[in-house]
Amino acid sequence: MSEVAKQTAPAYDPYPLDVLAVVRLVLIGVITGAVGWLLYLGIANFFIDPVFCRSAETYSVCRSGGTIAWIGAHVIVLAAATAVLARLAVYRPLLVVLATLVTLWGAHGWLGGMEWYVGLVWQAVLFGAAFAVFGWIARLPSFLLALILTLIVAVLSRIVLMLS
């Protein structure tokens, strides 16, 4: 192949990241955060409290009930979000979802003290931002580079969340 043919060959990107793709990522993140928060409240109030907070023998589960409920709810919701992201041809959806879960793990600790609707809004905003950031990072051509940058951003985000 000649040098001219190599330079003029069009590049094809099956996963373009344009404004619409970012808006879709944010919207899916907002919905995931809101549904996850509501499911977390449902599990905490209708399963953890009635089952584990009635006797002294199950106090350790009751004490950790918020964390258990939050993780359980978000594993379910993020599994569904992975399927939706894959259906919408978001590049590396599992990386986006796992990075979001790791980054926002324990958000209920400081959102749980708020009114339920305020916590819902804040969590929806955080999930929307996380989906957009990690979806953008996942678009890097090199998986190794995307993974390393995702880990760096997730660790820095965890540090910021722990200090606030």
Side-chain angles (χ1 to χ4, degrees):
M1 188 179 264
S2 72
E3 191 64 35
V4 174
K6 286 182 184 176
Q7 292 175 351
T8 60
Y12 175 68
D13 186 3
Y15 301 103
L17 186 64
D18 55 1
V19 174
L20 183 60
V22 173
V23 168
R24 271 189 270 156
L25 276 169
V26 170
L27 186 61
I28 294 167
V30 165
I31 292 169
T32 301
V35 171
W37 184 260
L38 293 174
L39 188 58
Y40 149 69
L41 291 176
I43 292 171
N45 293 326
F46 298 111
F47 180 70
I48 300 290
D49 285 346
V51 173
F52 295 108
C53 295
R54 300 289 183 223
S55 69
E57 293 87 32
T58 58
Y59 176 73
S60 64
V61 175
C62 180
R63 187 184 64 208
S64 304
T67 303
I68 294 168
W70 194 92
I71 295 303
H74 287 84
V75 165
I76 294 167
V77 173
L78 287 170
T82 303
V84 171
L85 290 173
R87 176 80 172 119
L88 294 175
V90 172
Y91 199 55
R92 299 179 180 131
L94 190 58
L95 181 64
V96 173
V97 167
L98 288 176
T100 300
L101 180 64
V102 167
T103 300
L104 297 177
W105 186 290
H108 73 283
W110 44 277
L111 294 178
M114 300 177 179
E115 292 291 329
W116 71 270
Y117 52 88
V118 176
L120 176 112
V121 170
W122 274 109
Q123 179 158 308
V125 168
L126 289 171
F127 268 73
F131 269 54
V133 168
F134 292 119
W136 178 69
I137 292 171
R139 293 283 304 128
L140 292 173
S142 167
F143 175 74
L144 184 60
L145 183 61
L147 180 64
I148 291 169
L149 190 56
T150 297
L151 289 172
I152 290 169
V153 171
V155 167
L156 290 176
S157 299
R158 294 285 304 155
I159 291 170
V160 168
L161 290 175
M162 287 188 323
L163 294 178
S164 62

